[in-house]
Amino acid sequence: RYRLKAFHMTDFVAGAAPYGQWGKKREERLLEFIQVVNRAAIFPVSVTIPIATYSSALSEDQRARCGNPYFLAAWGCFHEVTKWLRANRPLEDEVAYVYDQGDQGRGEVFKAFNFIYDDHELRKMHRLISMDFQSKIRFTPIQAADILAWTVQDEVLRSIGVDRRPRPENLDELRLSEILYPTPDQLREIVDHF
């Protein structure tokens, strides 16, 4: 409709092409995209593991056992989706995860998935079918996830007092789930599972 290959929130906020050329229509179009996300996102989930918390809360041995913050964040997302499934979906419903192929921590996300998938009981408990990495151009739901991820990062930065970038007006219309932001004690408790 707007002749975009793929929507990218960082470029939108920066006013990069083609978004900067939209002029006064920018916010109106963002609201339209947000309304699509709100209709389509069944359960948006986010887990944020600040590197400083990860480094200071966990011993070297604990970090070696659990991988890096991406592994723990992915594990947390799998866990939160499982909790939601148990509360809201029939027992036979399972999940096929799809991540953006450009994600920085995708190797660790894959390790977290395999940690669960390779254990028959954990796989059954988490209702896992598969995991794949796709381009946001080919798999458009990732574009919705891009808007959600940018917004979560913005919320976290603002919550710790970092307000370094402009915030689009209509972003408050986006329906977010709770942003999980484990304390050092909670992080240590999670790592004890490994």
Side-chain angles (χ1 to χ4, degrees):
R1 179 173 169 171
Y2 297 118
R3 299 175 197 234
L4 294 175
K5 253 188 173 174
F7 183 84
H8 194 248
M9 188 66 176
T10 299
D11 292 341
F12 176 88
V13 172
Y19 314 107
Q21 299 159 353
W22 288 354
K24 294 179 181 179
K25 296 266 188 202
R26 273 172 43 99
E27 289 295 331
E28 184 180 305
R29 290 178 180 171
L30 179 61
L31 181 58
E32 189 178 325
F33 297 148
I34 287 171
Q35 289 167 344
V36 169
V37 172
N38 286 343
R39 283 192 308 272
I42 297 169
F43 177 66
V45 62
S46 169
V47 176
T48 299
I49 312 278
I51 292 173
T53 303
Y54 169 84
S55 298
S56 65
L58 302 178
S59 69
E60 205 171 300
D61 177 60
Q62 288 172 315
R63 290 192 303 269
R65 278 186 299 162
C66 71
N68 71 23
Y70 290 104
F71 179 97
L72 291 174
W75 173 270
C77 286
F78 295 139
H79 182 72
E80 289 303 308
V81 169
T82 300
K83 284 182 358 188
W84 183 87
L85 283 169
R86 285 185 184 152
N88 297 286
R89 304 300 299 177
L91 190 58
E92 63 273 5
D93 281 9
E94 297 176 304
V95 180
Y97 288 89
V98 180
Y99 281 83
D100 187 341
Q101 70 183 11
D103 282 350
Q104 184 177 349
R106 82 180 195 187
E108 292 296 313
V109 171
F110 196 63
K111 278 189 211 173
F113 176 85
N114 283 333
F115 182 88
I116 297 168
Y117 193 84
D118 291 345
D119 181 303
H120 178 73
E121 289 303 313
L122 284 176
R123 180 179 350 129
K124 187 176 170 182
M125 180 179 86
H126 283 49
R127 304 182 191 189
L128 299 183
I129 297 174
S130 63
M131 187 177 77
D132 194 12
F133 294 92
Q134 290 288 331
S135 159
K136 69 174 69 179
I137 294 168
R138 290 187 57 209
F139 191 75
T140 55
I142 292 174
Q143 295 174 47
D146 183 76
I147 295 171
L148 290 163
W150 189 95
T151 305
V152 165
Q153 181 184 30
D154 184 67
E155 292 285 328
V156 168
L157 289 172
R158 289 173 191 280
S159 76
I160 61 173
V162 178
D163 186 7
R164 68 178 205 276
R165 54 189 179 183
R167 183 180 173 88
E169 288 175 30
N170 293 322
L171 219 47
D172 292 334
E173 300 295 322
L174 186 62
R175 183 175 43 94
L176 294 174
S177 65
E178 178 181 355
I179 299 169
L180 302 170
Y181 193 57
T183 66
D185 287 339
Q186 290 169 328
L187 202 52
R188 285 186 286 274
E189 188 178 316
I190 293 167
V191 171
D192 286 343
H193 292 289
F194 303 105

